[in-house]
Amino acid sequence: MKDLPAIHKVYKIKHQNVHISHIDFANKIIKVTARMTVIPIDQNLTTLEINDCKADFCFKDMPNEPPENINPSMQSFTSWYYSQYLNNYINGGELSIKIPSEVSTECKSLLLSIDYQINDPKVGIQFVIPKSEDEHSKRSFHAFTSGHYNSSRLWLPCQDNYWSLCTWSLSFTVNASMIAVSNGELTKKIIDDDGKNVTFYYKLDVPTAAPNIGFAIGYFEIYVDPKISTITHFCLPGLLPLLKYCITSFHKVYELYQDILSARFPFKSYKQVFVSESYNDYTAYSSFSIFNIRLLHSARIIEQHHTSRRLMAVALAEQYFGCFVEIESWNDWWLTVGIAGYLSTIFIKNTFGNSEYKYYIHNEMEALSDYEFDGLPLPPLHTDESLSQVNNDTSVASQRDRIPINYHPYFTFPTQLEMFKRRSQLIMRMIEIRIGQESLLQAFNKLLTLANTGAKHHSHSSQWGNILISTKHFLKTIHLVSGKDIKEFINQWVCRSGIPLFKGSFSFNRKRNTLELELVEKQDKSQFGFYVGPLTISVQEVDGSYTHTLQIEESTYHYDISCHSKSKKNKKKKIPLSNGDETEINFSNADSDSPVLWVRVDPDMHWLRKVIFDQPDYMWQYQMKYERDPLAQYLAVESLKKYVTSDSIQCLTEVIYNRHIYYRIRIAAVNALAQCATRTASAWALQRCPIASSLINIYRKMFGSRSCQNIPRYNNFSYMIGYFIQMTIPMALGTIRDAHGKCPREILDFIIDLIKYNDNSQNKYTDSYYMASLIDALTNAVSPATTVIGISESNFILSEESKIILSEVTHALNYEKIVASYRNCISVSCIKNIRISQKHGHIPPKSDVFKMYASYPFFQDIREAAIDQLADFIKVESSMDDLRWMFSLIENDPVPYIRHYALQAVIKNAPFSNRRKTNSVLNNVELVERLWNLIGFDARHDCRLRCDALELYTELYGRSTPDCIPPLLNSPGVVIDLQRRTSRPNISPSMSLDDISIKLSKPSTPQTAASHNSDDDGSSVVSGQEGLKVKIKLGDNIVSGGSVATETINPGGRRKSSEDVKSHKKHKHKHKKSSKQSSPFSNP
């Protein structure tokens, strides 16, 4: 386990003032002034270290380009990358500013001022500029902060970590018709005398870390929440009606969190901004969040409602833990992530019900366990740093700067980061089970109360440490409020990775009247070892439900559980259930000698685990029919699809008709019936499929016209549970195959009729997703074609079924160009259909259509669908030309999320794999060079993209040197030069100490405003308010301008040449008085 050593800070930043004085959308230029109040802690302070503003005396850039002699393997690269980061971290930052001897460090504070300019940033700040020149497109111009965790250094000189806190003042001078949104309270808005520009002033008194600082600037429309006046929502022009509907019930989650935490919202106001081309679907900053506009929807959309509300709830939860309460080190990151995720699950349970909550938790466990057993090993959430001292009074301040590399965003694969979030929130739920929800929420309240106490001392930064949270502090709080010590639990589940997999079965011993249970535990790739501890077994018997707690001590367990009931004597009997209800059960199909009706392992998901349990089909049927727990019913349905019996099919059919059963269980029953139909294909080879006919009859009975059931009635999605079943049945029918692997023609005709007779004229909801589901049903119905070897594309013969399917798909795709569906969901389904038709040999395999739809500026959902199909095309067809095109998209696309998504698509559809030892013609030196250049050059400032590339490189080649490199070149002492040879600008991150120099001197007289003078040598001298006097010389390039450094910063690439470095002149603002309209954001 790698840890970074603790370092001793000799200064801290108490307050930071950031002013964006100019923003040029046409050229993507932003001019910024950053002023920091520095408090010397050590009188021997001689150097300041600040992250990533490329100014002088010594610039130690975060590791960018690997050395030319490095071996092209993950082991070599990660070792070099870690050593570079370690060296950078120990020395404190990228920018070091030497304080001259004439400036006394015994003063209480120093004022540091940095003027700089950002040109065409690739990451850090996202400019969205539509290509169209009409007036509506021009009003869609906007810019906002964008980046991965711990990436504020890409646009702001700062201490870029979550435990260096300070207060903030932010101001933005923008076009008079624009609005600037940022952290904290809007204190004033001043309009220039000429009326062309307006300056927004924000103040954030709550001590906040730099990664939680951001802004958004654009022609936003404003909507103040009608229920809570301190909440304001912003969206792009024309989207206000969608915004108003989306936030209709937002006040409920706001009030829910305040109620369960018994604490007020930590900031005076909260703002939500919806933008295009965002880095993620949401990004939470202190007191405001940025969301993607594709989360907005109208009242006519059903599917998006759940997702949008959940993401807004997660972002709001992160305001409490993540933006307000922050971490002491990366070692404690799991706490804020886990608590915020846990709070969002309370929202799901409170808003969508207990059934949806259990389904969500089950899916999260399944996704995590699948990755644990099939993916790369996950590291622990927390490194064990003397947790035995948790109950002592030892201060943890000395540990604050110890950073484990486990889940540092610079070193963690994005897929692993998603698993980290899942595991963190699930473990927080496990803690709730151990100590009770009331005690856990009380612990959260104490953490917030302590943080509020520290935040109130604006001028006493010594109290700000109370805002930070550590694992030791959290465990102390848990022990204080509950009296329970969960140290051993933390050691097992947080300080170790992995989860247990239990495979179980049982038999009944009639003579002893005992249930003989056998459980076998399988170990994953991690160092978790075998689980040792309690495990709950629930046994439903004839006389009632009984819970048994077993102590797991070995990898294979044999337990004899005594039954409380005798064998079944009557065919029918009233049975008491676990929830206290009684129900009459028919025992005619059961084993008359056994009193056991069904068995469940860990029924309430107390542990983070995966369970595979085997029991007879009639027990699954009883569990489905009579167990009241929705999760038990769902698992029963998933198991019944393996038992193709008349009783199982009858049970699944009854589930579909039962309106009192949770709708996801009914959907699972539909899919299970379709799988049963395919399993019995040999039985109906010469006749119609009885299960398919049954599903068609179910659809017609539920949704067919009363006068003619063969024709569907007018769409009416008011009964939303029925709506989801109506979408599922056609898609499930499309998956049915006969003995020859073909979809029965009657199913295809049924789906075509649904499309033909679809009528949404009297429906208050849109049928976009319903039509998309019918296209998906056609896609599922595509069967492999009979191929003729040697046939040319011009003579390609389509079967009758293929013509019918492609005709409908082409019509839907063309109609989308006239009337677009919500989020172009129909186009997405059509693109998938085209690829499936290619794979099954119905149309020639060509990638042109996918590359067209994957290009900018198609809507994001269309681009994602096209990228997925193109990645699959590359894998199946082994197309090197298309792989080159994909890498060009990854390197040059203007949308950061699309670059990330494209790499993830290639990872999921890797053309070959080191783990599976597959071969491919794409395994060549050209691919190694392209990917190595992406890791070393193109993605060096976007740590998420770089980690994506590292993940792909690991998937393809492992951690060793790729085997496609010739053995002679791979021998010791031979260097493989995979570096991209490009000319370097005059000013570069690799300049030596002799090339960059800075001179600081104390001003002769204090000045209240900065003045600009010129020296004989051409250097600039700027004196700041009660600050330092700076003379700057960068190599042979003379730079004139602001305080510490005035130079062009390009977060997405190398420094610009000296011709691009422009002088900054003093800009005097003549202000008008603030507008007196009701909303402080209102345009003049």
Side-chain angles (χ1 to χ4, degrees):
M1 198 61 60
K2 294 181 177 180
D3 284 345
L4 296 182
I7 60 174
H8 176 60
K9 289 289 186 182
V10 294
Y11 74 95
K12 60 183 176 183
I13 297 176
K14 184 178 180 181
H15 182 78
Q16 191 155 346
N17 188 316
V18 180
H19 175 58
I20 292 183
S21 58
H22 175 73
I23 179 167
D24 181 357
F25 280 91
N27 299 307
K28 298 183 180 180
I29 295 175
I30 294 182
K31 295 181 180 179
V32 191
T33 299
R35 293 184 177 87
M36 287 159 272
T37 302
V38 180
I39 308 297
I41 300 176
D42 191 336
Q43 293 187 358
N44 297 322
L45 173 65
T46 59
T47 306
L48 297 178
E49 292 85 12
I50 303 171
N51 297 85
D52 206 55
C53 175
K54 299 178 182 178
D56 328 43
F57 174 70
C58 180
F59 179 75
K60 308 180 295 297
D61 196 8
M62 179 59 199
N64 284 332
E65 301 176 7
E68 295 183 358
N69 61 348
I70 190 174
N71 188 286
S73 67
M74 281 302 94
Q75 186 173 0
S76 301
F77 180 85
T78 52
S79 298
W80 167 80
Y81 194 42
Y82 173 77
S83 64
Q84 291 295 308
Y85 186 87
L86 178 65
N87 179 68
N88 179 278
Y89 171 76
I90 292 176
N91 291 307
E94 289 91 0
L95 173 62
S96 297
I97 305 168
K98 188 174 182 180
I99 299 178
S101 57
E102 58 267 26
V103 177
S104 173
T105 59
E106 296 181 359
C107 58
K108 292 184 178 181
S109 64
L110 301 173
L111 181 62
L112 181 64
S113 180
I114 303 175
D115 295 338
Y116 58 98
Q117 179 172 296
I118 305 173
N119 276 18
D120 192 16
K122 305 304 180 188
V123 286
I125 297 176
Q126 178 73 9
F127 280 89
V128 181
I129 305 175
K131 293 183 179 180
S132 177
E133 296 184 357
D134 59 90
E135 187 63 27
H136 177 75
S137 297
K138 289 181 180 180
R139 289 190 59 80
S140 297
F141 287 10
H142 58 290
F144 52 91
T145 46
S146 168
H148 205 37
Y149 302 98
N150 194 217
S151 296
S152 290
R153 64 185 70 199
L154 297 174
W155 71 278
L156 177 67
C158 60
Q159 289 182 312
D160 196 10
N161 57 59
Y162 286 96
W163 47 91
S164 295
L165 308 177
C166 67
T167 54
W168 296 81
S169 296
L170 304 110
S171 54
F172 308 86
T173 300
V174 297
N175 185 281
S177 56
M178 282 187 167
I179 295 173
V181 187
S182 188
N183 311 84
E185 284 289 296
L186 178 64
T187 57
K188 56 183 176 180
K189 185 178 71 172
I190 300 179
I191 305 170
D192 287 356
D193 289 339
D194 55 9
K196 293 183 178 180
N197 294 321
V198 59
T199 303
F200 294 83
Y201 292 87
Y202 289 88
K203 186 176 182 181
L204 182 61
D205 290 331
V206 177
T208 302
N212 288 326
I213 299 298
F215 67 85
I217 298 173
Y219 298 94
F220 298 124
E221 295 187 10
I222 308 163
Y223 183 63
V224 179
D225 196 290
K227 301 292 184 179
I228 304 175
S229 60
T230 57
I231 301 177
T232 310
H233 311 273
F234 302 84
C235 67
L236 297 176
L239 300 179
L240 188 58
L242 305 183
L243 174 66
K244 288 181 178 180
Y245 176 75
C246 282
I247 57 88
T248 302
S249 57
F250 181 74
H251 67 282
K252 294 182 180 179
V253 62
Y254 186 89
E255 294 167 350
L256 173 67
Y257 288 159
Q258 290 190 132
D259 183 45
I260 63 176
L261 294 172
S262 300
R264 296 182 62 84
F265 188 69
F267 304 101
K268 295 179 181 179
S269 65
Y270 181 59
K271 300 167 283 290
Q272 293 190 139
V273 186
F274 291 84
V275 301
S276 179
E277 300 178 11
S278 61
Y279 196 79
N280 290 306
D281 279 341
Y282 80 93
T283 304
Y285 299 100
S286 293
S287 76
F288 95 107
S289 300
I290 291 178
F291 296 90
N292 194 295
I293 58 171
R294 63 178 180 171
L295 299 182
L296 296 175
H297 62 94
S298 69
R300 302 187 72 234
I301 305 298
I302 298 175
E303 288 80 357
Q304 189 61 41
H305 181 74
H306 180 279
T307 303
S308 296
R309 291 190 66 183
R310 184 179 62 83
L311 290 180
M312 285 191 281
V314 174
L316 185 63
E318 290 184 6
Q319 294 296 316
Y320 288 90
F321 292 92
C323 295
F324 178 55
V325 177
E326 304 185 64
I327 56 176
E328 283 198 350
S329 74
W330 287 113
N331 211 16
D332 308 305
W333 195 21
W334 74 276
L335 283 172
T336 53
V337 171
I339 295 174
Y342 170 78
L343 292 175
S344 69
T345 61
I346 295 180
F347 160 77
I348 292 174
K349 188 174 184 179
N350 183 273
T351 306
F352 302 113
N354 187 59
S355 298
E356 183 69 18
Y357 166 76
K358 285 195 171 185
Y359 179 81
Y360 174 79
I361 295 297
H362 172 73
N363 279 356
E364 293 292 287
M365 280 192 179
E366 288 296 304
L368 179 59
S369 61
D370 289 344
Y371 187 88
E372 289 272 13
F373 286 95
D374 299 332
L376 298 172
L378 293 173
L381 301 181
H382 177 88
T383 55
D384 186 0
E385 295 181 352
S386 304
L387 286 179
S388 57
Q389 302 176 4
V390 71
N391 291 321
N392 299 337
D393 293 330
T394 305
S395 172
V396 297
S398 60
Q399 300 292 335
R400 184 171 300 165
D401 292 308
R402 293 187 61 82
I403 304 181
I405 298 302
N406 293 0
Y407 288 100
H408 193 290
Y410 285 1
F411 302 93
T412 306
F413 297 159
T415 308
Q416 290 184 324
L417 208 54
E418 288 299 315
M419 297 302 123
F420 162 77
K421 294 178 180 178
R422 283 192 169 100
R423 187 179 179 92
S424 298
Q425 79 170 20
L426 290 173
I427 286 179
M428 199 59 62
R429 177 180 174 271
M430 292 169 66
I431 294 175
E432 175 214 292
I433 295 171
R434 301 297 166 279
I435 68 173
Q437 186 181 77
E438 184 178 351
S439 295
L440 185 59
L441 293 177
Q442 188 179 354
F444 296 163
N445 173 263
K446 285 194 173 295
L447 295 174
L448 290 171
T449 302
L450 189 62
N452 274 314
T453 303
K456 289 178 180 178
H457 296 82
H458 303 155
S459 58
H460 297 85
S461 57
S462 59
Q463 300 293 322
W464 293 353
N466 294 327
I467 301 175
L468 305 178
I469 185 176
S470 68
T471 302
K472 290 183 178 181
H473 181 205
F474 178 70
L475 295 186
K476 284 183 180 180
T477 306
I478 292 292
H479 182 73
L480 179 64
V481 299
S482 68
K484 296 180 180 180
D485 186 358
I486 61 170
K487 180 185 63 180
E488 292 302 324
F489 172 85
I490 296 295
N491 283 331
Q492 183 172 15
W493 294 98
V494 178
C495 298
R496 293 163 65 187
S497 60
I499 62 174
L501 167 62
F502 297 107
K503 292 185 176 182
S505 62
F506 72 92
S507 60
F508 178 71
N509 190 321
R510 180 181 178 185
K511 292 182 179 181
R512 300 172 56 192
N513 197 36
T514 59
L515 185 150
E516 297 176 348
L517 178 69
E518 180 181 10
L519 285 176
V520 179
E521 183 179 348
K522 181 181 177 182
Q523 193 174 11
D524 60 12
K525 302 183 183 72
S526 68
Q527 302 299 319
F528 183 82
F530 292 106
Y531 168 73
V532 176
L535 188 66
T536 302
I537 307 294
S538 175
V539 181
Q540 178 66 52
E541 301 181 26
V542 174
D543 293 340
S545 178
Y546 299 93
T547 301
H548 307 271
T549 302
L550 308 180
Q551 189 66 28
I552 306 300
E553 297 177 351
E554 300 176 356
S555 59
T556 302
Y557 331 101
H558 298 275
Y559 293 98
D560 292 338
I561 300 175
S562 298
C563 294
H564 298 74
S565 310
K566 299 298 181 181
S567 59
K568 311 178 188 72
K569 296 180 180 180
N570 302 321
K571 290 188 175 181
K572 289 186 177 181
K573 185 178 179 181
K574 283 194 173 182
I575 304 299
L577 302 176
S578 57
N579 66 343
D581 294 344
E582 285 190 358
T583 184
E584 189 176 275
I585 298 180
N586 188 345
F587 299 135
S588 58
N589 296 326
D591 183 1
S592 60
D593 295 331
S594 173
V596 179
L597 298 181
W598 63 81
V599 179
R600 299 181 63 196
V601 178
D602 189 24
D604 296 319
M605 298 181 289
H606 284 178
W607 299 101
L608 187 55
R609 83 295 182 271
K610 184 178 179 66
V611 176
I612 301 175
F613 196 73
D614 185 31
Q615 59 185 355
D617 61 337
Y618 75 87
M619 291 189 174
W620 290 119
Q621 294 169 27
Y622 285 152
Q623 182 172 317
M624 173 60 245
K625 291 180 180 180
Y626 306 113
E627 176 63 70
R628 297 296 182 258
D629 183 1
L631 179 61
Q633 294 175 332
Y634 179 81
L635 295 176
V637 168
E638 289 294 308
S639 300
L640 280 174
K641 63 187 178 186
K642 298 182 294 185
Y643 302 94
V644 187
T645 63
S646 58
D647 291 332
S648 296
I649 293 173
Q650 179 63 27
C651 177
L652 293 173
T653 304
E654 292 174 358
V655 170
I656 298 173
Y657 278 117
N658 193 337
R659 295 171 65 108
H660 299 289
I661 294 178
Y662 178 48
Y663 81 98
R664 292 192 187 273
I665 300 172
R666 298 172 67 186
I667 290 174
V670 172
N671 293 319
L673 267 183
Q675 294 188 38
C676 290
T678 302
R679 289 174 183 270
T680 59
S682 58
W684 48 271
L686 300 178
Q687 58 184 352
R688 298 176 64 182
C689 174
I691 298 179
S693 300
S694 176
L695 279 174
I696 291 175
N697 290 333
I698 290 173
Y699 185 95
R700 288 172 175 169
K701 186 174 181 179
M702 296 178 67
F703 310 108
S705 173
R706 291 183 175 88
S707 58
C708 180
Q709 287 192 350
N710 291 338
I711 298 177
R713 68 172 72 112
Y714 293 114
N715 291 338
N716 183 7
F717 301 154
S718 299
Y719 177 54
M720 295 185 183
I721 294 176
Y723 163 69
F724 287 111
I725 296 173
Q726 186 176 359
M727 285 199 305
T728 305
I729 291 178
M731 290 192 291
L733 283 168
T735 62
I736 296 177
R737 295 293 182 268
D738 61 18
H740 303 287
K742 302 287 186 178
C743 182
R745 179 59 187 266
E746 63 171 329
I747 293 178
L748 179 60
D749 292 339
F750 172 74
I751 298 172
I752 292 297
D753 285 342
L754 293 182
I755 297 175
K756 178 181 179 180
Y757 294 111
N758 178 62
D759 190 340
N760 204 60
S761 59
Q762 299 182 18
N763 190 14
K764 68 177 182 179
Y765 296 100
T766 180
D767 64 344
S768 295
Y769 281 102
Y770 175 64
M771 285 299 299
S773 71
L774 294 180
I775 300 295
D776 290 336
L778 289 179
T779 303
N780 294 340
V782 175
S783 307
T786 302
T787 57
V788 179
I789 300 176
I791 191 171
S792 64
E793 292 183 6
S794 59
N795 296 323
F796 216 85
I797 301 175
L798 286 174
S799 64
E800 183 180 355
E801 290 83 359
S802 301
K803 290 179 180 178
I804 293 174
I805 293 174
L806 291 175
S807 174
E808 293 295 338
V809 170
T810 304
H811 177 269
L813 201 56
N814 289 332
Y815 191 73
E816 274 277 87
K817 298 177 182 179
I818 303 173
V819 181
S821 59
Y822 175 71
R823 291 180 57 168
N824 296 108
C825 59
I826 296 178
S827 294
V828 169
S829 296
C830 292
I831 291 171
K832 294 177 182 177
N833 184 282
I834 293 171
R835 177 61 193 142
I836 294 297
S837 298
Q838 290 181 351
K839 291 179 70 173
H840 287 304
H842 294 284
I843 56 178
K846 289 187 176 181
S847 61
D848 296 345
V849 63
F850 307 127
K851 290 191 287 189
M852 178 188 72
Y853 280 116
S855 302
Y856 187 83
F858 276 98
F859 186 71
Q860 183 171 324
D861 287 37
I862 293 182
R863 301 190 68 194
E864 290 175 6
I867 287 170
D868 286 334
Q869 307 317 310
L870 182 59
D872 180 75
F873 184 93
I874 293 170
K875 177 182 179 180
V876 175
E877 306 296 335
S878 298
S879 173
M880 193 65 200
D881 289 338
D882 293 305
L883 185 60
R884 294 189 189 102
W885 189 93
M886 183 74 89
F887 270 91
S888 297
L889 176 78
I890 294 168
E891 294 163 357
N892 304 314
D893 196 86
V895 184
Y897 182 81
I898 290 296
R899 299 198 293 267
H900 158 69
Y901 189 90
L903 260 179
Q904 284 296 317
V906 177
I907 293 170
K908 294 174 184 176
N909 296 274
F912 57 93
S913 174
N914 173 73
R915 293 185 293 146
R916 293 183 289 272
K917 302 299 181 183
T918 53
N919 297 320
S920 173
V921 296
L922 300 180
N923 187 2
N924 52 47
V925 177
E926 180 184 352
L927 177 58
V928 177
E929 181 176 357
R930 195 72 180 261
L931 193 52
W932 190 256
N933 282 332
L934 182 62
I935 294 171
F937 298 94
D938 298 311
R940 64 189 182 277
H941 284 291
D942 188 346
C943 58
R944 181 176 69 177
L945 193 65
R946 174 174 259 178
C947 289
D948 285 324
L950 290 171
E951 184 176 1
L952 177 58
Y953 202 99
T954 304
E955 175 67 25
L956 298 179
Y957 307 112
R959 294 186 59 80
S960 57
T961 304
D963 54 7
C964 61
I965 295 178
L968 179 63
L969 297 178
N970 197 20
S971 59
V974 179
V975 176
I976 313 298
D977 185 10
L978 297 178
Q979 305 291 336
R980 180 173 56 189
R981 298 300 184 183
T982 55
S983 58
R984 294 178 179 270
N986 293 331
I987 305 175
S988 70
S990 61
M991 294 180 70
S992 65
L993 190 62
D994 297 333
D995 297 323
I996 304 178
S997 61
I998 183 169
K999 298 178 182 179
L1000 306 180
S1001 60
K1002 189 176 181 179
S1004 56
T1005 58
Q1007 298 182 357
T1008 56
S1011 58
H1012 184 206
N1013 307 289
S1014 179
D1015 282 355
D1016 295 336
D1017 61 359
S1019 300
S1020 66
V1021 177
V1022 177
S1023 57
Q1025 178 182 356
E1026 298 180 357
L1028 306 175
K1029 203 172 185 181
V1030 184
K1031 181 185 290 185
I1032 303 170
K1033 189 175 183 180
L1034 300 173
D1036 298 328
N1037 303 281
I1038 305 301
V1039 182
S1040 61
S1043 330
V1044 170
T1046 304
E1047 67 167 288
T1048 302
I1049 300 175
N1050 185 356
R1054 297 184 179 90
R1055 298 188 181 195
K1056 298 294 183 181
S1057 59
S1058 57
E1059 290 84 359
D1060 296 326
V1061 182
K1062 300 178 181 180
S1063 62
H1064 292 251
K1065 296 183 179 181
K1066 182 181 178 183
H1067 180 65
K1068 298 182 179 179
H1069 292 284
K1070 298 181 179 179
H1071 302 300
K1072 291 184 177 180
K1073 293 184 179 179
S1074 301
S1075 174
K1076 296 183 179 180
Q1077 299 183 28
S1078 58
S1079 172
F1081 294 99
S1082 300
N1083 292 326

